Every structure is written in structure tokens, then in C-alpha cells.
Amino acid sequence: MGTVEGGSAAVSESAGARIEPTADVDGRAVLGAGTTVWHLAQVREDAVIGADCIIGRGAYVGPGVRIGDRVKLQNHALVYEPAVLEDGVFVGPAAVLTNDLYPRSVDVDGRLKRGDDWHARGVTLRRGCSIGGRAVLVAGVTVGRWALVAAGAVVHRDVPDFALVAGVPARRIKWVGRAGEPLEPAGEDRWRCPRTGEEYREADGVLTPAEPEAGPAAESEAQREPEARREPDAASTDAF
């Protein structure tokens, strides 16, 4: 690990990643090329972060968390293990990905609970989805591809691909496209993005692109090893 001068303090670089001097990155974590970890962020042991990511000021990445390429964690976002974030995910400021369905500080005998006293259930964020600021995602939920969770929402069950959910508890209020904007009706069971013109089909409450997705995100997802993905928990598969 070398150092380069960055302002008034030295900035460490490891395998092409930039780590600000007040960040706490465990030596057993893996950071991809072009990734930046900003001041006061913490990346725990065995976490894997892909290329060209931004880990914002004060953000937390738990032990063994897996993060893909081109992911943004905004300031003070908290990602608890064993979360999986696929390529192109956005997590807004102070959003929380929890991992304990029934949290207690002590057990029934009044003793402080330790790691072996409970089962961690991670959140899964599929490719391209976005989580708004101060949203809370309950342990075990999956947010689908290109979905959008509104600021301040509390998500307690799985979010379908391309869904915009809001509220407490979160409910689907619209469909969104890959550009993140609400879709407009374009005929029976069809929707169109006002920015890109891309069209989508709706069938049985599921939205899919009318044409296959293309671009680097789609290519890298197809090439990713199967173990990089995690199947959703059976207990959190209720549809919206």
C-alpha cells in the first residue's frame, strides 16, 4: 500500500482504490480499482467491494458484505452483514439495511447477546435499484432490479423489479424505468419512459422491458459468478 498527497493529509491507495486518511478499512477487506472510501467510513473484515464505487463519509459496510461495481453508498448509509448489493446500486444518505428480525440486547436470562445467539439475515439489492435517504430495509428483504425506494420508506417485504415504493409500510405507487423516472401509459399493459422512450410490458403485476437490456451493467451481471447472487429468503417473498 502506497500513499499519495491529498490536500493536507496523506491518502492511501490499495490496488487502485482511494482510502481517505480517517476511513477505517480492515486489511482483510477487498476493494476494486477506482473505488473511493471517504472520511470516517468503516469497511469491516472480509467485505468485498467492486470497482468504481463510492463509499460516503461515515458509511458502514459490515463483515462479509458483498458489493458490486459502480455502487454508491451516500453519507452515513449503514449496510449490515450479510447484505448483497449488485452492480449499479444507489443507497441514499442515512439509509439502513438491517439484519435482525427480532432484535434484543439481552437473552431471556438477561445475558448480553453475542453473535452466536441470533441469526443474521441480509438485505439483497438487485442491479440498478435505488434506496432513498433515511429509508429502512427490514432484514431479509429483496429490492428488485431498477426499483426505487422513496426517502423515509420502511420496506418490510420484497419489492418487484421497476417498482416505485413509498410510505410506512412501503407500498408500490408507480412503475419506474431504468432512468429512474415514473413511466407513462403507452397502451394496454404497456408503459414508456418519458426520458429514454424505452417501453415496458406489464403482466400479472410484473414489469419487464419490451426489449432486452444492454450495456456494461447487463454484461457484467451475465458474467458474474452464480454465488455472487443470493436467492431471496422464503419468509420475505410476499408480493406488493
Side-chain angles (χ1 to χ4, degrees):
M1 178 180 293
T3 60
V4 295
E5 290 302 311
S8 60
V11 178
S12 66
E13 292 193 344
S14 175
R18 172 188 172 109
I19 304 172
E20 291 293 337
T22 60
D24 179 5
V25 178
D26 190 279
R28 293 163 288 179
V30 176
L31 306 182
T35 285
T36 298
V37 183
W38 285 102
H39 291 285
L40 302 176
Q42 183 178 14
V43 179
R44 294 282 302 276
E45 65 274 11
D46 303 319
V48 178
I49 299 175
D52 300 319
C53 295
I54 296 175
I55 309 301
R57 178 185 177 92
Y60 175 81
V61 178
V65 166
R66 300 188 58 143
I67 296 177
D69 299 334
R70 300 176 300 279
V71 170
K72 290 185 177 182
L73 299 187
Q74 298 294 84
N75 294 357
H76 303 290
L78 306 178
V79 179
Y80 292 101
E81 69 282 356
V84 175
L85 284 62
E86 294 182 350
D87 294 347
V89 164
F90 175 92
V91 180
V96 184
L97 279 58
T98 69
N99 65 355
D100 191 352
L101 277 177
Y102 308 107
R104 287 284 194 236
S105 178
V106 297
D107 62 21
V108 293
D109 296 320
R111 295 174 297 190
L112 185 67
K113 292 178 71 173
R114 302 294 183 180
D116 294 336
D117 296 328
W118 62 287
H119 174 63
R121 300 175 60 185
V123 168
T124 298
L125 303 184
R126 299 297 191 191
R127 174 162 54 92
C129 73
S130 296
I131 310 302
R134 291 192 178 275
V136 176
L137 277 63
V138 174
V141 301
T142 294
V143 178
R145 297 177 309 124
W146 305 106
L148 178 59
V149 174
V154 175
V155 178
H156 73 292
R157 53 185 177 176
D158 292 350
V159 177
D161 295 350
F162 301 104
L164 167 58
V165 300
V168 181
R171 304 286 183 184
R172 187 180 73 82
I173 58 174
K174 293 183 178 181
W175 294 115
V176 294
R178 292 192 301 155
E181 297 188 8
L183 301 180
E184 299 175 343
E188 185 176 359
D189 297 327
R190 294 183 70 91
W191 300 84
R192 180 182 297 114
C193 175
R195 179 186 294 185
T196 66
E198 291 179 328
E199 293 197 354
Y200 299 80
R201 295 190 181 96
E202 181 180 357
D204 299 322
V206 176
L207 199 73
T208 56
E211 300 293 336
E213 295 181 38
E219 293 171 4
S220 61
E221 181 68 13
Q223 296 167 357
R224 188 176 298 279
E225 296 179 359
E227 59 266 25
R229 305 191 186 102
R230 182 168 60 82
E231 292 302 317
D233 259 313
S236 62
T237 54
D238 293 336
F240 273 82

